[in-house]
Amino acid sequence: MMKKEQITYMKIKRCLLIGFCSMLLFNCSRDTYVGELPTDDDAPLEQPVPIVLSLGMSDFEILTRGSGEVNNGNDADFWNKVRFYVYAFNKDPQTDLSKPWSETNEDFCLLDGYRIAGANVQTSNHGKEVGVKKEDSNLMLFYPDENSQDIYYNMQHTDWPYNFFAYYLDDWSGECHREKDHIYYDVELDGRRDFMSSMASVDSQKDKYEGNPYRDKILGRAFSAYSANHGLNPVFQFEHHLVLLRFVVCKPGSSSNQSGSDIPSLDPTLKVKKVELNSKYKGRFTVAVNDPETNDPTKPRRGFTFENQDSKYFELKKKNGDFIGNNGWCFVADCPAYEDVTDNDKKYYHYVLGKDENNDRDSGASLLVAPGDSYWAKISLSTEKGLEGPLYTEVDVELKNTNDNGVFSPGKAYTVYLTINSLSDIKPTIESGVWTNGGDINVSPDDEYKDE
């Protein structure tokens, strides 16, 4: 868990770096390799212009590979291992994405896994592998040779713009398929893998060019050696493509146990043993396309498609990936009453795990599943009050969303409140939340997250 000083620092950093990241890159690039702006703005560039990439969010957290949603926060041990992949292709919609980078093909493919950095060479159909140097304005450094970043823009056609794509594969190493108009992976979900992608946009950096006489050229030629020479570098704001489901186990409200109610008094030995959810799990993850601005629905788009109808049950696990175990997840009597869950409670990450402050905060986490109209959850319960010994049962519950046009949308977060009335009676309630680009949730149990 982070110390309070670290938490404060990270929050300040989150506020400042997003605003100043582009400015820092602009100042760095100008002072390092450009010099004074030439009188003739279209004069040939005298020095090679390096490709400078940056992560738009100031403090991601990735706990371990395949451990669940990618969040805000800090996990320094893993940060050194996390890798993203980056492509850059000519903006011409007819560009053939299947042809890899080479010195003779640089007009069309500027950056991929065939681009050489220093003495170490990565050669694959993947995007160019990068790591993130958070202490240096979130620069995305080419991997594996972080000491040799000499990868430059196309210096033969310095005004030719490129589309920059980045993506994240959480514990997935399947084959990369490169077609003429798109690049994709066939992947399988496991309830804990998070897949993200991004396409760099100039929108977040437009304001800094107000009043600049070359503004239209700079923005119109993004991203190229010309625009980079003016300090306009690709910044990636990642988006999630799956559905995030958080679970809270609730006991009935006091009104449910009043005399005359159809629901019996709560059994103090009633225990949740397992939570499972059925979802599609075979999908196609498209990470780059040659015509991202098209409105033609027949052309490929970035993100996930789930044409395969095969489904499976995913089990909610501990945050560290372990199964809940024979001791059970929680006694229902120790869980909050649904009617007592306040808006303030929902701001704290540990609360949505269905545990109070006296219980194990690692007992549950979230599930990452395919978008859908509804889901079936299987809740396993036990009690010690059977006439012939302990009783065990599984209750199937359909989860329906009454918001968002009745569907569970990609990139959205939902909190599932399971009110356990008895060994056979469970009432689900769904609330929509926000799972912003790149994640915005602090995993430190005492920190707030906004879910509204």
Side-chain angles (χ1 to χ4, degrees):
M1 185 181 295
M2 292 188 294
K3 296 179 180 179
K4 291 296 183 182
E5 308 89 77
Q6 292 174 303
I7 295 171
T8 301
Y9 167 74
M10 292 308 298
K11 289 181 177 178
I12 293 174
K13 186 179 179 184
R14 178 170 59 245
C15 295
L16 295 179
L17 278 185
I18 295 177
F20 290 107
C21 179
S22 298
M23 185 180 298
L24 290 171
L25 291 173
F26 175 77
N27 291 334
C28 174
S29 63
R30 297 272 303 161
D31 294 341
T32 302
Y33 60 86
V34 177
E36 295 297 325
L37 190 67
T39 303
D40 179 3
D41 185 51
D42 284 320
L45 296 174
E46 296 181 0
Q47 300 182 41
V49 180
I51 298 173
V52 179
L53 309 175
S54 179
L55 185 67
M57 298 300 292
S58 61
D59 53 348
F60 276 90
E61 177 188 23
I62 302 175
L63 300 174
T64 58
R65 288 185 180 273
S67 71
E69 62 188 287
V70 174
N71 290 323
N72 241 1
N74 177 50
D75 189 288
D77 291 339
F78 186 75
W79 229 177
N80 293 328
K81 302 176 184 177
V82 64
R83 297 289 177 260
F84 297 91
Y85 299 93
V86 180
Y87 290 111
F89 294 102
N90 191 299
K91 281 192 173 183
D92 184 343
Q94 300 304 313
T95 297
D96 187 346
L97 307 190
S98 68
K99 295 182 179 179
W101 175 88
S102 67
E103 291 184 358
T104 58
N105 192 45
E106 188 170 282
D107 286 351
F108 303 100
C109 179
L110 178 68
L111 190 64
D112 68 0
Y114 288 86
R115 192 77 192 256
I116 298 173
N120 295 306
V121 180
Q122 171 203 354
T123 304
S124 75
N125 279 324
H126 292 67
K128 182 62 184 172
E129 196 170 353
V130 298
V132 179
K133 190 175 182 181
K134 294 179 64 180
E135 65 272 19
D136 193 2
S137 303
N138 289 1
L139 292 177
M140 302 178 81
L141 302 181
F142 297 115
Y143 182 85
D145 190 355
E146 295 185 356
N147 295 319
S148 181
Q149 297 299 305
D150 299 332
I151 298 183
Y152 299 102
Y153 277 96
N154 184 343
M155 300 308 297
Q156 296 297 317
H157 302 283
T158 59
D159 60 343
W160 282 20
Y162 292 82
N163 289 322
F164 277 77
F165 303 95
Y167 59 101
Y168 170 69
L169 299 173
D170 187 2
D171 194 30
W172 185 257
S173 57
E175 182 180 359
C176 177
H177 302 272
R178 293 180 65 162
E179 305 289 344
K180 179 178 180 180
D181 58 354
H182 68 298
I183 300 175
Y184 69 91
Y185 294 81
D186 287 326
V187 305
E188 292 188 7
L189 310 184
D190 66 355
R192 300 174 62 75
R193 294 189 182 109
D194 193 2
F195 295 90
M196 300 186 297
S197 73
S198 175
M199 176 179 163
S201 170
V202 301
D203 291 345
S204 62
Q205 303 183 64
K206 284 182 177 180
D207 291 348
K208 72 179 182 180
Y209 294 100
E210 289 298 330
N212 188 312
Y214 312 127
R215 179 181 184 277
D216 291 343
K217 285 184 180 180
I218 296 169
L219 300 179
R221 297 178 181 180
F223 294 97
S224 64
Y226 173 88
S227 63
N229 187 53
H230 285 271
L232 184 59
N233 297 286
V235 178
F236 295 109
Q237 300 279 357
F238 282 88
E239 58 185 297
H240 298 277
H241 295 292
L242 301 179
V243 172
L244 171 62
L245 298 177
R246 307 183 183 111
F247 289 83
V248 181
V249 173
C250 298
K251 62 186 176 185
S254 57
S255 60
S256 298
N257 290 326
Q258 293 177 354
S259 176
S261 171
D262 294 334
I263 300 174
S265 297
L266 186 66
D267 181 349
T269 68
L270 184 60
K271 184 184 295 185
V272 179
K273 302 287 290 185
K274 186 186 299 185
V275 175
E276 300 171 280
L277 184 128
N278 190 268
S279 167
K280 296 177 184 178
Y281 70 99
K282 292 182 179 180
R284 176 159 293 182
F285 182 30
T286 300
V287 297
V289 295
N290 65 356
D291 193 6
E293 306 300 328
T294 183
N295 292 319
D296 186 345
T298 65
K299 290 190 175 182
R301 307 296 294 269
R302 278 192 310 113
F304 261 95
T305 55
F306 290 90
E307 296 180 0
N308 191 300
Q309 298 301 309
D310 292 347
S311 65
K312 65 189 298 185
Y313 276 94
F314 299 131
E315 181 177 346
L316 189 67
K317 298 179 182 179
K318 294 181 181 180
K319 196 161 55 178
N320 62 9
D322 292 342
F323 287 99
I324 291 171
N326 294 328
N327 292 330
W329 183 18
C330 65
F331 285 100
V332 176
D334 293 335
C335 296
Y338 176 72
E339 65 181 21
D340 295 335
V341 177
T342 67
D343 290 339
N344 187 61
D345 290 328
K346 297 172 186 177
K347 294 179 181 178
Y348 292 90
Y349 190 78
H350 75 266
Y351 194 86
V352 300
L353 305 181
K355 308 295 287 185
D356 63 30
E357 63 182 3
N358 297 317
N359 289 319
D360 178 11
R361 289 169 174 170
D362 267 356
S363 289
S366 53
L367 287 175
L368 293 158
V369 295
D373 296 332
S374 65
Y375 304 101
W376 280 97
K378 183 179 295 183
I379 317 301
S380 301
L381 304 169
S382 69
T383 180
E384 298 176 4
K385 283 196 170 183
L387 296 178
E388 299 179 358
L391 294 177
Y392 178 86
T393 187
E394 294 178 345
V395 181
D396 292 319
V397 178
E398 186 175 13
L399 306 181
K400 293 184 177 181
N401 181 25
T402 57
N403 301 305
D404 298 337
N405 298 316
V407 299
F408 292 88
S409 303
K412 292 293 294 293
Y414 302 89
T415 302
V416 181
Y417 297 95
L418 300 171
T419 303
I420 314 294
N421 296 312
S422 69
L423 195 62
S424 60
D425 186 355
I426 299 176
K427 178 184 177 182
T429 305
I430 313 295
E431 291 186 3
S432 300
V434 175
W435 191 19
T436 59
N437 292 346
D440 67 343
I441 302 169
N442 294 312
V443 299
S444 178
D446 295 323
D447 283 346
E448 292 187 2
Y449 76 92
K450 300 299 183 182
D451 189 14
E452 55 191 15

